[in-house]
Amino acid sequence: MNENKIYDTVIVGSGPAGLSAAVYAKRATLDFIVVEKEYQGTGQISESECVDNYLGLYGENGFDLGEKFRNHAVELGTEFYNGELKEIIPDTNGYRLVVSDKEILSKTIIYAAGAKHKMLNVKGETEFSGKGVSYCAICDGAFYKDRTVAVIGGGDTALGEAEYLSDVAKKVFLVHRRDSFRANKALQERIRSKNNITVVLNAEILEIIGGDRAEQIKIAHDGKTELIRTDGIFIAVGTTPESSLLKGIAQLSPGGYVAAKEDCITSARGIFAAGDVRTKPLRQVITAAADGASAVYSVEKYLFGDYS
Ligand code: NAP
């Protein structure tokens, strides 16, 4: 990283959107650097047991797919800088990015910082985090071999985690607050075919209870309070965009996503939002990768072409 020059663009984040942007930025011969918080990161995809909807790479393990994305960017000569972005300061030449204790100057920013796990915000969640409460089945599932676990949530992540855990644990409770899942139908069918998964619908989580570790979940279910005894609790209730650094700089949606259309152009001149952090109808690996390409195309137009 060179603190004395002004980059064409700085790509913030090394998930599928950021890595795809790096590949396209290399092809566009832009002078750029990728800033990543996690050393040699590949984003949330690394936590996915199986990605079976990325075109041409059926049934790929998420970690391996992320490595392929990263290797592609590395092979093309992408430079990465490992550090946490602390502040973005508008500047006459573009932006100053405060990363750890350094400053990077850039004409534009491709902001692809992604999203982080949402918390349930119930009593016991923080207390037992890492002591029976987890947000990643692929990371922690192996600890629950032949034991009982509960997965909370009704989206693709929750059902994917329940499916994965059903091959490791003896029994899986899948606890969801409504009477239907929002996860894709094929996954729902696979869950129904598993005889060690018990689905508990219309259940509100009230509290996580335990001693040294989490032991039970208290739920409100069918007008009654019930307890589910479990060794591990996997919380998969969605994600929150990592957009706080853009507050006051670019327009955010009520949910905190960076407002931008398919061209990734935000309300802040020279800042482009790509991937899960952007307002979009479908957050998938393939749409994140597409954003990376579109963002670079918009950067090129901004720097060298027509841009209103
Ligand atoms: P999501 O689709 O937002 O689902 C979150 C789930 O958690 C919903 O079922 C929601 O319930 C529930 N929930 C939210 N807050 C809750 C609370 N306070 N208490 C209890 N339950 C709560 O999140 P996601 O499953 O992480 O998926 C995020 C995006 O990534 C989606 O677009 C998804 O399709 C995508 N994704 C794709 C793949 C893949 O293609 N392989 C894998 C994983 C994720 P309600 O349904 O009642 O709102």
Side-chain angles (χ1 to χ4, degrees), residues 53 120 153-158 176-178 182 236-238 283-284:
N53 51 8
L120 259 181
D156 283 325
T157 304
H176 179 40
R177 66 181 175 184
R178 285 191 299 123
R182 65 172 65 229
V237 295
R283 293 192 173 81
Q284 302 277 293

Side-chain angles (χ1 to χ4, degrees), residues 178-196:
R178 285 191 299 123
D179 63 354
S180 62
F181 293 118
R182 65 172 65 229
N184 73 75
K185 296 283 180 285
L187 184 51
Q188 291 191 36
E189 275 173 22
R190 294 207 297 276
I191 290 293
R192 285 199 186 95
S193 72
K194 293 273 188 173
N195 53 22
N196 64 340

Side-chain angles (χ1 to χ4, degrees), residues 21-179:
V23 167
Y24 274 78
K26 268 287 166 198
R27 288 164 55 97
T29 66
L30 296 181
D31 189 6
F32 74 98
I33 189 165
V34 178
V35 170
E36 56 177 357
K37 187 159 72 173
E38 188 192 339
Y39 179 63
Q40 300 201 343
T42 57
Q44 287 192 83
I45 188 182
S46 64
E47 295 176 2
S48 193
E49 159 68 1
C50 182
V51 179
D52 60 8
N53 51 8
Y54 193 91
L55 189 66
L57 292 167
Y58 181 74
E60 191 89 5
N61 171 284
F63 183 87
D64 294 343
L65 185 57
E67 288 298 298
K68 280 186 181 157
F69 291 164
R70 191 178 176 94
N71 289 343
H72 189 170
V74 169
E75 280 297 315
L76 295 181
T78 298
E79 187 188 347
F80 292 86
Y81 183 72
N82 182 221
E84 184 167 356
L85 178 61
K86 297 271 177 43
E87 199 178 352
I88 295 172
I89 306 164
D91 186 82
T92 42
N93 296 311
Y95 292 94
R96 278 165 41 219
L97 292 92
V98 183
V99 183
S100 301
D101 57 346
K102 303 234 181 313
E103 274 199 10
I104 305 175
L105 305 176
S106 186
K107 295 172 198 162
T108 68
I109 297 171
I110 295 178
Y111 193 84
K116 60 175 183 249
H117 303 295
K118 244 191 215 166
M119 289 185 71
L120 259 181
N121 292 320
V122 294
K123 195 164 171 228
E125 181 178 14
T126 307
E127 182 187 346
F128 294 112
S129 180
K131 295 178 196 155
V133 170
S134 167
Y135 298 84
C136 175
I138 193 164
C139 316
D140 300 328
F143 299 125
Y144 298 94
K145 189 166 164 37
D146 297 328
R147 306 190 77 177
T148 298
V149 295
V151 177
I152 319 295
D156 283 325
T157 304
L159 271 68
E161 299 218 328
E163 184 181 37
Y164 171 69
L165 288 164
S166 71
D167 292 331
V168 179
K170 186 171 68 190
K171 182 162 185 57
V172 179
F173 288 98
L174 174 58
V175 185
H176 179 40
R177 66 181 175 184
R178 285 191 299 123
D179 63 354

